Amino acid sequence: MTSYEATRAWADARDAADPLRSFRDEFLIPPHHGADSLYFCGNSLGLQPKAVRAAINDELDQWGTEAVEGHFRGPLPWLTYHETVREHLAEVVGARPDEVVAMNTLGVNLHLMMVSFYRPTAQRPAILIEAGAFPTDRYAVESQIRFHGFDPATALIEVEPDSEGGGISQATIERVLAEHGARIALVMLPGIQYRTGQAFDLKAIVDAAHARGCVVGFDLAHAVGNLPLQLHDSGADFAIWCSYKYLNSGPGAVGGAFVHQRHGKADLPRFAGWWGHDRATRFRMGPQFVPTPGADGWQLSNPPILALAPMRISLDIFHRAGMDRLVAKSRDLTSYLEWLVHTRLPETLDVVTPSDPTQRGAQLSIRVRAGRDAGRELFEYLMEHGIVGDWREPDVIRISPTPLYNRFSDCLGFTDAVVAWRDR
């Protein structure tokens, strides 16, 4: 176990010895009164890589000089531009390249996947989600249930937390599957629960759900670029995610989807679009839709080049840093932050997120013991002092030390600020 110290000298020494320290210099850190802010909000919006501006300008130049011929000319022709992010995206999520595609946004991709993978019957109409799911998931699954003519009051099953902090154990998930599995068409759970920061065991969920005849999909909004994902090996049927959090691809960035290899050539129902048509015959403009094999076959329209450019830059950073090294640093940073909270602020803060590093990512969800009003007061104090986290109702402050650009000294700075707030 690492021996931590709550001193500036110790934190600075750890930062100096960090083999990933140079990656921080590739990001724009928001300023605060002439110094860098302490930015712990990569779980909501990742920072801008410095190389993004030039990448977008390159495509603007291509548009200006080549116009429509930019689809076929230049170093990165637009016709195949989405393929430039495929390999590195597959690395990040632990998938085969043909199993992933960058397209649309998370909510759109979730609906597109459910068209194919939520096929309810009178005997098996239900969708399983976690209680307190992110509104995107809740709204989407409820609307899909209604669209198919079923009632969410009976066809939406929610797994309730079984721990004081709001976590849900694998045993509870399996108990619910044992009780309701014969009625469940789709298990739709997150990789990380957004409010508590709990990470789920994807393969264990897939194995348990498949044994009951259920299809399994995951919302990886808070897990992609954060957890050591192995989507192919997990056996998940599909997954979707956004790219503006840990993937640093910009506000409203292009999202992504995973479709397991076993479904890549299957004749599944889907909402078809021209860009999902087999590339070899796409420009023959025929009336018969022939899907491209793999995840590409779920595309609707040609990719937004100016929006994909930031993702290409960020995924190159991930490729150079390596997910194994990023996860190792993330666990060390988050453990240090947790140790600081427990050591310096045991009477002030409670950590909701599991202590087991394998059951969380780069996030601690924190409650102020004095209650919601004090929690909101602390959050606003932190923001005023250049420490950027985020607030989630009813009473959670989320602090996420992201390994690409956060430091051990940032974690110390956070607890310094909470101590100053407490001792005012």
Side-chain angles (χ1 to χ4, degrees), residues 81-113:
Y81 196 96
H82 74 282
E83 297 175 9
T84 66
V85 304
R86 188 194 308 282
E87 296 284 341
H88 293 170
L89 187 57
E91 286 178 10
V92 167
V93 301
R96 289 168 44 103
D98 64 331
E99 292 176 318
V100 299
V101 60
M103 65 178 189
N104 308 314
T105 53
L106 183 148
V108 173
N109 289 336
L110 178 52
H111 278 293
L112 291 177
M113 291 297 108

Side-chain angles (χ1 to χ4, degrees), residues 245-373:
K245 300 180 190 293
Y246 295 103
L247 289 189
N248 313 306
S249 300
V254 178
F258 161 87
V259 177
H260 197 278
Q261 178 188 10
R262 65 180 174 274
H263 300 303
K265 295 183 179 180
D267 185 21
L268 292 170
R270 71 185 79 193
F271 284 168
W274 185 46
W275 219 255
H277 186 94
D278 184 16
R279 180 178 165 189
T281 59
R282 183 183 301 153
F283 284 89
R284 294 179 187 173
M285 317 302 268
Q288 184 71 32
F289 177 74
V290 179
T292 296
D296 270 13
W298 274 264
Q299 293 180 104
L300 298 181
S301 304
N302 54 324
I305 304 305
L306 300 181
L308 274 177
M311 183 188 293
R312 181 175 63 81
I313 295 301
S314 182
L315 287 173
D316 176 70
I317 295 173
F318 272 90
H319 175 69
R320 288 184 283 116
M323 278 303 299
D324 288 345
R325 293 200 300 167
L326 288 170
V327 168
K329 179 182 175 182
S330 173
R331 288 179 174 174
D332 205 4
L333 271 177
T334 307
S335 294
Y336 181 53
L337 177 61
E338 180 186 39
W339 178 85
L340 286 169
V341 170
H342 289 326
T343 301
R344 305 184 71 192
L345 300 158
E347 305 301 323
T348 306
L349 301 179
D350 284 326
V351 176
V352 173
T353 307
S355 290
D356 182 350
T358 66
Q359 294 183 39
R360 68 186 184 200
Q363 174 183 328
L364 289 186
S365 295
I366 293 168
R367 288 192 176 109
V368 177
R369 289 196 167 194
R372 182 195 182 283
D373 290 345

Side-chain angles (χ1 to χ4, degrees), residues 217-236:
F218 292 108
D219 176 349
L220 302 179
H222 290 85
V224 68
N226 182 7
L227 294 182
L229 296 171
Q230 295 297 328
L231 281 182
H232 177 83
D233 292 345
S234 78

Side-chain angles (χ1 to χ4, degrees), residues 130-131 159-173 175 189-190 192-200 351-355 359 365 367:
E130 87 277 19
V159 186
E160 295 289 341
D162 58 359
S163 73
E164 185 177 349
I168 302 171
S169 68
Q170 179 67 22
T172 291
I173 294 172
R175 176 183 57 77
L189 291 171
I192 287 181
Q193 213 288 330
Y194 81 100
R195 183 182 286 113
T196 66
Q198 177 192 1
F200 291 90
V351 176
V352 173
T353 307
S355 290
Q359 294 183 39
S365 295
R367 288 192 176 109

Side-chain angles (χ1 to χ4, degrees), residues 37-74:
S37 63
L38 303 187
Y39 191 82
F40 292 106
C41 210
N43 62 314
S44 190
L45 180 65
L47 294 182
Q48 181 187 140
K50 293 177 180 177
V52 160
R53 188 177 299 275
I56 293 175
N57 283 337
D58 286 345
E59 301 313 321
L60 290 174
D61 290 342
Q62 175 88 332
W63 181 16
T65 59
E66 299 290 350
V68 70
E69 290 301 305
H71 287 89
F72 314 103
R73 295 178 182 171

